[in-house]
Amino acid sequence: MKDLISKINKVFESRVRLGIMSVLMVNETYDFNSLKETLDVTDGNLASHLKALEEKRMIKVNKQFIGRKPNTSYSATETGIAEFRHHLKALENLIRGE
Amino acid sequence: MKDVYIREKFGTYIIYVLLCNSKYFYKMKSDLNSIEDIKAIRKIMEESSRFLSLSGLSGIFAGVTAIAGALFAYFFILDNGSVHYDEYFKSLSEKEAFSLRWQLISVAALVLVLSILFSFYFSIKKARRERKNFWTPVSRRLLINFLIPLAAGGVFVIALLIRNQVGLIVPCFLIFYGMALVSAGKFTFGEVFYLGILEIITGLVSAFVPGWGLIFWIFGFGVLHIVYGLAMYRKYEA
């Protein structure tokens, strides 16, 4: 049981972070505003979770300008994808009680 | 005797039962949380990668418009003429044929524009009803993947028109439209992909059967759309 829980990654222990990773698993890139709408969270909340994931190198940030507007988009890193897959597997195992 | 033993050891019976239950519930609660998490993850993955506000109504509407367009062309532009409009064309003078051709193309273009406008309208309505956003990264990707094959087909049809290959226009419409649906299908309901395959098959068959363009048009753009639209509406919306 202890082993099982240790596999659950602390970085993903929040609904918002789970949401961010889920979106970035199936989309190559996703911009800040669309993430905000998809996950239905506030600016500050989303930004702080994105920051945390970025610091752990789970996602990378691409800043660019569309015309004069700054546009920030995010994508999952290879580590992020691998770690998240692990995390999902652990969640599933926890449910099955293996 | 046993009862008394339990009471001595664990207090009253009720507390004993409660203790067992709470431990059970505690485990269940964490399980439920994980189940909820996984459900949420699945839902977000699906909603962020597929545009699910596409309405079956747009399929029905597109089908009806296509059939109306075909009937209009048959009765008013071709003057109740034979469906084998290839021969009909040959009996006309150059100038008459030219104007006729452009009238037919205008009807086809009108059908296309109306269908696309109404599919936008129904999708926006459906998205609003479900309190979802219509203009998302997925809907943009869907639109681009749909429009590239369609635009290529449109230009190719113009080339066919200019080079007098009128008989191949309907097959071309069907094939390119089918390919547009196949490429858009990855970003919405999987059924769109199969509708695309059926359109491509219809187009390819019609390429080998000269003179039946109008019938294939009615089947491909009319009947298939209506059947698809009804099926989708009943499955996801009714």
Side-chain angles (χ1 to χ4, degrees):
Chain A
M1 196 63 191
K2 205 181 168 190
D3 186 45
L4 205 63
I5 288 181
S6 69
K7 269 193 199 148
I8 295 219
N9 203 326
K10 280 271 184 233
V11 189
F12 301 127
E13 246 181 37
S14 123
R15 274 290 161 85
V16 182
R17 290 186 201 174
L18 279 180
I20 295 168
M21 289 310 291
S22 313
V23 171
L24 296 182
M25 288 291 280
V26 288
N27 291 280
E28 245 170 75
T29 64
Y30 226 72
D31 63 282
F32 187 88
N33 285 328
S34 307
L35 262 179
K36 198 177 83 183
E37 277 155 16
T38 309
L39 302 176
D40 199 16
V41 286
T42 60
D43 274 25
N45 195 359
L46 180 61
S48 70
H49 284 298
L50 283 169
K51 189 103 217 152
L53 286 173
E54 192 198 339
E55 273 163 14
K56 298 274 178 196
R57 296 182 191 283
M58 297 295 161
I59 60 174
K60 29 174 207 280
V61 187
N62 327 296
K63 286 194 173 145
Q64 58 180 51
F65 281 85
I66 296 181
R68 283 195 182 174
K69 272 192 188 163
N71 179 284
T72 314
S73 64
Y74 300 86
S75 49
T77 61
E78 272 172 40
T79 350
I81 291 173
E83 291 287 319
F84 192 66
R85 283 224 177 97
H86 245 79
H87 181 73
L88 282 183
K89 194 115 211 156
L91 274 184
E92 275 166 12
N93 287 342
L94 193 68
I95 291 170
R96 279 196 232 113
E98 276 165 16
Chain B
M1 259 338 257
K2 215 173 179 185
D3 257 13
V4 176
Y5 172 76
I6 288 172
R7 242 173 261 163
E8 270 170 10
K9 198 102 180 165
F10 299 103
T12 63
Y13 200 63
I14 291 172
I15 291 176
Y16 171 65
V17 169
L18 271 179
L19 266 173
C20 294
N21 273 351
S22 67
K23 189 185 166 212
Y24 183 64
F25 277 134
Y26 179 74
K27 189 189 174 315
M28 250 180 63
K29 211 181 142 201
S30 80
D31 271 12
L32 274 180
N33 272 340
S34 314
I35 292 173
E36 288 293 305
D37 280 354
I38 286 189
K39 268 190 195 154
I41 288 167
R42 283 221 183 100
K43 196 165 161 255
I44 290 170
M45 280 184 171
E46 172 134 328
E47 281 182 2
S48 69
S49 65
R50 280 172 188 274
F51 180 71
L52 301 178
S53 299
L54 203 65
S55 171
L57 290 177
S58 24
I60 300 173
F61 186 86
V64 172
T65 322
I67 291 178
L71 292 181
F72 179 81
Y74 182 78
F75 287 115
F76 293 98
I77 301 176
L78 297 175
D79 205 18
N80 300 356
S82 108
V83 176
H84 305 260
Y85 59 87
D86 242 11
E87 290 159 33
Y88 181 67
F89 264 108
K90 280 175 196 144
S91 68
L92 296 168
S93 74
E94 183 104 341
K95 211 177 166 191
E96 276 175 320
F98 182 81
S99 105
L100 206 62
R101 210 170 280 161
W102 285 103
Q103 282 175 18
L104 285 175
I105 284 300
S106 321
V107 172
L110 192 70
V111 166
L112 182 77
V113 169
L114 274 180
S115 302
I116 291 181
L117 281 183
F118 269 85
S119 74
F120 265 98
Y121 170 76
F122 286 124
S123 296
I124 290 172
K125 247 179 85 174
K126 191 180 168 196
R128 233 177 247 164
R129 199 171 51 236
E130 292 169 353
R131 286 158 200 280
K132 280 193 216 149
N133 227 324
F134 171 74
W135 199 234
T136 61
V138 202
S139 62
R140 284 193 281 272
R141 234 172 283 158
L142 171 78
L143 206 62
I144 289 169
N145 280 275
F146 178 68
L147 286 180
I148 290 173
L150 203 66
V155 174
F156 195 71
V157 163
I158 292 175
L160 287 179
L161 258 179
I162 291 170
R163 298 179 62 176
N164 267 333
Q165 303 289 328
V166 182
L168 286 175
I169 285 181
V170 170
C172 246
F173 265 127
L174 286 163
I175 291 168
F176 279 98
Y177 177 66
M179 293 203 283
L181 289 181
V182 166
S183 93
K186 281 174 275 181
F187 303 99
T188 178
F189 297 103
E191 285 86 343
V192 170
F193 174 86
Y194 294 104
L195 177 65
I197 299 280
L198 288 178
E199 300 283 2
I200 292 175
I201 293 172
T202 312
L204 288 176
V205 172
S206 76
F208 289 98
V209 189
W212 287 76
L214 219 53
I215 299 294
F216 279 105
W217 170 283
I218 288 176
F219 177 75
F221 289 117
V223 178
L224 283 182
H225 271 140
I226 291 173
V227 170
Y228 158 86
L230 281 175
M232 294 297 279
Y233 190 76
R234 286 190 54 182
K235 190 168 172 191
Y236 297 105
E237 289 161 76

